[in-house]
């Protein structure tokens, strides 16, 4: 078999066989197929797509390229959650302890920030002492003891995805349904949970910009999960506007704790409750409505917050910062961006807001960059809000004084103030289950 022939086949929109997909992925992981040939294949897939059988085979082959984790040492049903990536998306920090406090088990391996989107592992590392690398036994023990453990992805989880993702990132081939679906689901299948809840983001800050594409991506991933014997549900949630008010690592930890303490922002609380309710539904705790009530109860009685603190302590973190935010290291420089006119926020480009946070130091400019945990943005006005000339739209935080000017310029470009109040957009657009799409 020759990679050249497979590229030619896909270029003409033909279907690749199981053996061809295995040959291509195995050869690429072993270094026998060079990046330039795989780049051509990725671009051919981007243009010509793949059918469901090809996507399933690609996902399975990528999952099996590394460890397939056996979670049977953890008692009870395990549920995983994955977001396709967003700005200000800190829901894992909220839903994982909620689900654990309600009796579900969450053994979660999370990723780092990618491009303009933040990553859970970076946020958790903003908690002093928190270890995101645990060996298998400690990971399992922590879930058995606390109901939840969130760690970084182990080096050998779907290594084919790691290599392919890095190549897609630099060849403009990230935003392809077969490639995103196989990337995400290969990691989820390898990570071993019984059930999977997918949060498919839609809008300007998401990889999928339209609702139709987001639903198609969700259906593709749900079909892969169910086909592999994992109960899988997807929610399509808004990422036209950042979620919550805080963007940045320690800022997002604080805002997540606000939700767990019962006084978080309304949008973040609502999306988190719907995600948590669906995770509890997947592990058999009741109907989605009953599960939502359970989730609300563990916020109200403080047990979800205490569950998060217990996990943090078990992983070496200092939970004092979660109880008293003044204990977090503070950014030495800050600046407010003031409204230049009266009106309403009629547009907020979430991707550009995410890039602004990277410029401030909250994300990585290159793979090697280090993160400034204290950097980020605190929004004061969001999409649809009324603003008065001179009012602060956002406070920028950074350790790099010279970044403030550029960040202010970018933020001004991301946000448009107009005359008419725009119509509200839904927070959750749709729910996708096997063979079923409910639009809200
Ligand atoms: N997240 C992933 O893990 N993979 C993608 O391709 C996109 C988002």
């Amino acid at each position: 078999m020759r990679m050249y022939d497979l590229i030619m086949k896909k270029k003409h929109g033909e279907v690749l066989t199981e053996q061809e997909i295995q040959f291509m992925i195995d050869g690429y992981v072993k270094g026998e197929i060079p990046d330039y040939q795989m780049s051509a294949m990725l671009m051919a897939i981007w243009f010509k797509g793949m059918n469901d059988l090809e996507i399933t085979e690609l996902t399975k082959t990528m999952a099996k390229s590394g460890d397939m984790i056996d979670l049977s040492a953890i008692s009870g049903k395990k549920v995983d959650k994955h977001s396709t990536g967003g700005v200000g998306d800190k829901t894992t920090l909220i839903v994982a302890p909620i689900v654990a406090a309600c009796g579900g088990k969450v053994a979660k391996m999370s990723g780092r920030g990618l491009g303009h989107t933040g990553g859970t592992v970076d946020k958790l590392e903003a908690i002093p002492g928190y270890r995101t690398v645990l060996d298998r036994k400690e990971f399992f023990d922590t879930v058995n003891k606390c109901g939840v453990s969130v760690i970084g992805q182990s080096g050998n989880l779907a290594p084919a995805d790691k290599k392919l993702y890095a190549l897609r990132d630099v060849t403009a081939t990230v935003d392809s349904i077969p490639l995103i679906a196989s990337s995400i689901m290969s990691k989820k299948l390898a990570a071993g949970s019984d059930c999977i809840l997918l949060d498919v983001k839609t809008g300007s800050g998401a990889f999928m910009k339209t609702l139709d594409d987001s639903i198609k991506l969700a259906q593709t991933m749900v079909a892969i999960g169910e086909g592999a014997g994992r109960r899988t549900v997807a929610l399509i949630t808004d990422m036209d506007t950042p979620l919550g008010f805080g963007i940045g690592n320690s800022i997002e930890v604080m805002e997540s704790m606000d939700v767990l303490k019962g006084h978080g922002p309304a949008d973040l609380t609502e999306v988190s409750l719907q995600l948590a309710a669906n995770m509890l539904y997947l592990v058999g705790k009741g109907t989605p409505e009953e599960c939502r009530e359970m989730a609300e109860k563990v916020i109200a009685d403080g047990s979800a917050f205490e569950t998060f603190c217990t996990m943090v302590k078990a992983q070496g973190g200092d939970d004092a910062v979660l109880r008293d935010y003044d204990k977090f290291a503070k950014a030495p420089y800050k600046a407010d961006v003031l409204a230049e006119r009266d009106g309403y926020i009629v547009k907020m480009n979430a991707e550009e807001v995410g890039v602004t946070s990277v410029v401030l130091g909250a994300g990585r400019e290159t793979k090697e960059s280090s993160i400034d945990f204290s950097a980020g943005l605190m929004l004061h006005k969001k999409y649809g809000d009324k603003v008065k000339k001179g009012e602060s739209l956002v406070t920028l935080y950074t350790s790099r004084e010279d970044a403030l000017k550029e960040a202010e310029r970018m933020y001004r470009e991301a946000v448009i103030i107009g005359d008419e109040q725009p119509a509200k957009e839904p927070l959750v657009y749709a729910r996708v289950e096997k063979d079923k799409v409910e639009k809200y």
Side-chain angles (χ1 to χ4, degrees):
M1 213 178 279
R2 293 192 317 154
M3 186 64 177
Y4 177 94
D5 300 323
L6 306 191
I7 299 168
M8 183 69 86
K9 235 179 134 176
K10 190 41 79 186
K11 185 177 84 172
H12 291 296
E14 289 171 38
V15 173
L16 299 176
T17 66
E18 250 176 58
Q19 292 74 16
E20 287 169 340
I21 289 171
Q22 286 164 12
F23 167 83
M24 161 176 106
I25 296 300
D26 293 347
Y28 185 56
V29 172
K30 285 188 198 137
E32 291 162 7
I33 292 174
D35 279 349
Y36 54 82
Q37 282 192 314
M38 188 50 93
S39 304
M41 174 59 85
L42 291 172
M43 195 54 87
I45 294 173
W46 194 95
F47 277 108
K48 296 295 178 179
M50 284 182 135
N51 71 19
D52 290 348
L53 285 177
E54 287 176 291
I55 300 175
T56 302
E57 195 49 45
L58 179 60
T59 309
K60 282 201 291 198
T61 310
M62 284 165 65
K64 286 191 210 138
S65 67
D67 298 342
M68 295 293 283
I69 296 172
D70 174 5
L71 296 181
S72 57
I74 300 169
S75 59
K77 269 205 175 164
K78 278 73 69 180
V79 57
D80 203 346
K81 173 236 167 214
H82 190 91
S83 156
T84 56
V87 179
D89 179 10
K90 66 275 291 172
T91 54
T92 293
L93 272 52
I94 302 164
V95 301
I98 291 178
V99 171
C102 295
K105 292 285 165 62
V106 184
K108 179 148 176 52
M109 295 189 181
S110 285
R112 295 193 179 276
L114 199 66
H116 67 281
T117 66
T120 302
V121 168
D122 296 328
K123 297 177 219 255
L124 286 168
E125 287 179 354
I127 302 171
Y130 189 94
R131 289 180 297 126
T132 55
V133 180
L134 302 185
D135 67 27
R136 220 35 81 78
K137 180 169 181 322
E138 198 179 1
F139 180 46
F140 294 170
D141 288 349
T142 308
V143 184
N144 276 327
K145 182 175 148 223
C146 311
V148 53
S149 176
V150 185
I151 60 170
Q153 241 154 254
S154 89
N156 206 32
L157 191 88
D161 174 61
K162 197 163 183 216
K163 212 170 160 193
L164 279 171
Y165 200 99
L167 192 61
R168 287 167 59 210
D169 209 14
V170 291
T171 55
T173 49
V174 171
D175 54 342
S176 143
I177 290 177
L179 297 178
I180 296 179
S182 54
S183 162
I184 291 176
M185 294 309 288
S186 62
K187 287 176 289 208
K188 296 293 109 181
L189 298 186
S193 283
D194 307 297
C195 318
I196 303 162
L197 193 264
L198 299 163
D199 179 5
V200 177
K201 299 286 180 197
T202 192
S204 64
F207 291 120
M208 291 289 110
K209 309 284 183 205
T210 68
L211 182 57
D212 282 351
D213 280 349
S214 305
I215 290 179
K216 177 87 192 41
L217 174 62
Q219 286 176 306
T220 306
M221 293 197 288
V222 168
I224 296 171
E226 293 283 344
R230 317 287 173 93
R231 287 286 290 114
T232 309
V233 165
L235 293 187
I236 315 285
T237 69
D238 180 62
M239 191 36 69
D240 222 22
T241 304
L243 196 52
F245 291 91
I247 299 152
N249 296 287
S250 45
I251 295 173
E252 292 192 41
V253 172
M254 293 184 246
E255 192 169 63
S256 306
M257 295 308 105
D258 282 347
V259 175
L260 290 177
K261 291 173 190 170
H263 50 76
D267 61 343
L268 178 61
T269 304
E270 178 57 29
V271 171
S272 300
L273 283 170
Q274 294 208 31
L275 292 169
N278 277 284
M279 289 169 80
L280 290 166
Y281 162 78
L282 281 168
V283 292
K285 295 282 176 194
T287 63
E289 294 73 28
E290 288 163 347
C291 291
R292 184 187 166 112
E293 273 178 36
M294 291 172 69
E296 285 174 356
K297 193 158 162 278
V298 293
I299 290 181
D301 69 13
S303 54
F305 174 68
E306 290 305 329
T307 299
F308 189 79
C309 292
T310 309
M311 175 190 77
V312 165
K313 283 188 283 184
Q315 295 188 209
D318 179 5
D319 68 328
V321 294
L322 309 175
R323 300 176 193 277
D324 175 4
Y325 303 152
D326 286 342
K327 294 198 157 84
F328 270 113
K330 293 282 168 302
Y333 302 103
K334 64 176 190 168
D336 282 283
V337 179
L338 308 182
E340 288 174 325
R341 53 164 291 192
D342 291 351
Y344 294 91
I345 308 261
V346 293
K347 190 152 182 26
M348 192 169 225
N349 185 306
E351 178 166 353
E352 289 170 21
V353 175
V355 176
T356 309
S357 77
V358 175
V359 166
L360 290 165
R364 291 180 188 79
E365 305 260 10
T366 67
K367 275 202 300 200
E368 287 72 33
S369 318
S370 60
I371 295 247
D372 174 2
F373 293 126
S374 63
L377 302 88
M378 182 56 77
L379 315 184
H380 305 303
K381 299 286 176 186
K382 287 186 53 173
Y383 176 78
D385 286 349
K386 189 172 184 171
V387 296
K388 274 198 166 339
K389 186 175 172 183
E391 260 187 313
S392 177
L393 299 174
V394 65
T395 307
L396 311 174
Y397 295 92
T398 185
S399 301
R400 303 198 306 238
E401 194 177 11
D402 58 341
L404 284 173
K405 256 213 164 73
E406 171 68 354
E408 172 169 353
R409 189 194 59 74
M410 293 179 81
Y411 195 77
R412 285 200 187 282
E413 263 178 28
V415 172
I416 299 175
I417 301 175
D419 295 325
E420 303 281 328
Q421 184 166 32
K424 273 232 166 310
E425 283 176 350
L427 288 171
V428 180
Y429 284 89
R431 181 173 181 276
V432 178
E433 249 189 287
K434 192 178 174 203
D435 304 325
K436 184 169 147 196
V437 178
E438 290 167 80
K439 287 197 186 170
Y440 300 130

